[in-house]
Amino acid sequence: MQNTSDLIVILGTGGTIAGTAVDASDNVGYSAAQLGVAQLVAAIPMLAARRLETEQVAQLDSKDMDFATWQRLAERVATHLARPEVAGIVITHGTDTLEETAYFLQRVLAPSKPVVITAAMRPATALLSDGPQNLLDATVVALQSFVGGVLVVLGGAIIDAQQVRKVHSYRLNAFAPAEGGHVGVVEEGQVRWLSRPLLPLLPLIPLMPLMPAFGLARIARSVDAWPRVEILFNHVGCDGAVVRALLAQGVDGLVVAGTGNGSLSSGLEAALRQAQAQGVMILRSTRCDAGPVSASETALPSAGALSPVKARVEMLLTLLGSSD
Ligand code: SIN
């Protein structure tokens, strides 16, 4: 008799993993989001014996990921996770904004079953296409995971949604945890868990004892009514003119990627304080690849150890929540 909860649902959203090029040696001149998720699965013989369902939620290059697709994706993930027969979800995605989607889904759903996002750095037609192995590995992780939460699987590495960052524009192992280590690795169809807190074989524990789920209902409003949150940088010669331009246009929140430990040029800080005085929410992150921004009573609010793009997700949710 079949295990009652061994079904994996694979949701397709596009990306290079579903991309095709005219020439197999062309790793960059391809079109993303050309193949359906069912075609990606059908190309992997090892998945033929698995209990799988596929659903095409979107078909886009993830540089164009948008709030409406996030809403739909979160709703489809939640719907499938609520089915008792579903052990976990796999999502195929583009690599470019994968870390934002991973963090968004973790914060909105805080799933108690595994939601595994995978992608590829080479199109499906490439000589060395990494998509099929990544999709197979992601399916293995969704089946073997005893932890809930959003995980990212690429190049045999498992990284959690909080830590994951795209750190390289071209190479196959383009993702790394910002700090700390990998959650685990996938080797020949077996998951080897590395993260110390995960070693006791507890049944589905939440991977990130972070914050409770923000909740689907609170992101359900029309995306036209979502807050406008922009990201800007401190840099040499930064005078805050961008902040003033955004204020003139209308903006609800600003995440600033400061230098080092979130430092800001005098001109940028003055402009941000002016924006804050006008009711714009401000968070200070860092343009460094990793590390926290220290909080201080005298400085603008810190985003902690969140990267600018994840701080932006956090701010979007805070602003959505405050206007409930
Ligand atoms: C995308 O992000 O959709 C295109 C690039 C990629 O998947 O590597």
Side-chain angles (χ1 to χ4, degrees):
M1 201 169 85
Q2 261 177 342
N3 183 333
T4 50
S5 63
D6 63 353
L7 176 64
I8 301 297
V9 179
I10 306 184
L11 304 178
T13 71
T16 294
I17 192 168
T20 56
V22 174
D23 180 345
S25 66
D26 190 349
N27 289 320
V28 291
Y30 60 88
S31 304
Q34 301 300 305
L35 303 175
V37 64
Q39 285 173 282
L40 303 184
V41 171
I44 306 172
M46 292 72 99
L47 290 180
R50 296 248 193 253
R51 242 183 115 207
L52 301 172
E53 280 178 16
T54 59
E55 181 179 325
Q56 196 75 43
V57 175
Q59 188 65 306
L60 46 74
D61 185 319
S62 80
K63 69 181 170 56
D64 295 318
M65 183 54 71
D66 52 35
F67 295 157
T69 307
W70 269 2
Q71 263 181 341
R72 192 160 57 250
L73 183 60
E75 186 278 318
R76 296 315 297 149
V77 170
T79 297
H80 288 298
L81 287 180
R83 298 166 59 195
E85 69 273 26
V86 170
I89 308 280
V90 170
I91 300 171
T92 57
H93 198 286
T95 61
D96 286 346
T97 58
L98 180 153
E99 67 205 69
E100 289 168 67
T101 298
Y103 189 75
F104 174 78
L105 291 176
Q106 174 63 38
R107 285 289 290 110
V108 171
L109 302 174
S112 59
K113 293 179 185 175
V115 174
V116 186
I117 309 185
T118 194
M121 289 296 289
R122 301 286 179 267
T125 47
L127 289 175
L128 189 61
S129 174
D130 50 333
Q133 185 68 54
N134 286 344
L135 181 50
L136 180 62
D137 287 351
T139 308
V140 164
V141 173
L143 269 172
Q144 294 183 14
S145 186
F146 54 86
V147 294
V150 179
L151 299 167
V152 172
V153 171
L154 265 100
I158 310 171
I159 310 172
D160 70 67
Q162 173 97 6
Q163 292 292 330
V164 69
R165 288 193 187 185
K166 186 171 182 182
V167 295
H168 203 278
S169 58
Y170 181 75
R171 70 183 186 212
L172 294 186
N173 60 338
F175 287 80
E179 294 181 291
H182 292 94
V183 173
V185 289
V186 195
E187 295 156 338
E188 301 299 318
Q190 286 302 316
V191 177
R192 188 159 57 92
W193 300 102
L194 299 174
S195 185
R196 286 180 58 83
L198 304 181
L199 290 180
L201 284 170
L202 297 172
L204 294 169
I205 51 168
L207 178 63
M208 284 167 282
L210 290 175
M211 283 161 272
F214 184 76
L216 260 189
R218 298 169 83 197
I219 63 159
R221 82 182 61 162
S222 158
V223 293
D224 297 336
W226 280 37
R228 178 164 181 197
V229 176
E230 299 289 344
I231 301 175
L232 48 116
F233 276 77
N234 188 36
H235 50 78
V236 171
C238 187
D239 62 3
V242 174
V243 177
R244 288 185 285 279
L246 285 167
L247 268 184
Q249 273 203 14
V251 67
D252 302 298
L254 293 172
V255 173
V256 57
T259 27
N261 192 351
S263 64
L264 306 170
S265 74
S266 309
L268 178 57
E269 177 160 2
L272 288 167
R273 287 197 182 274
Q274 187 194 348
Q276 190 187 38
Q278 292 180 28
V280 176
M281 186 177 178
I282 311 288
L283 275 181
R284 243 173 354 112
S285 178
T286 174
R287 66 180 217 185
C288 293
D289 288 344
V293 165
S294 308
S296 141
E297 279 181 13
T298 53
L300 287 163
S302 159
L306 290 177
S307 65
V309 291
K310 290 180 186 172
R312 177 172 178 266
V313 172
E314 206 54 59
M315 188 182 277
L316 277 169
L317 297 179
T318 302
L319 289 168
L320 278 169
S322 65
S323 55
D324 274 351

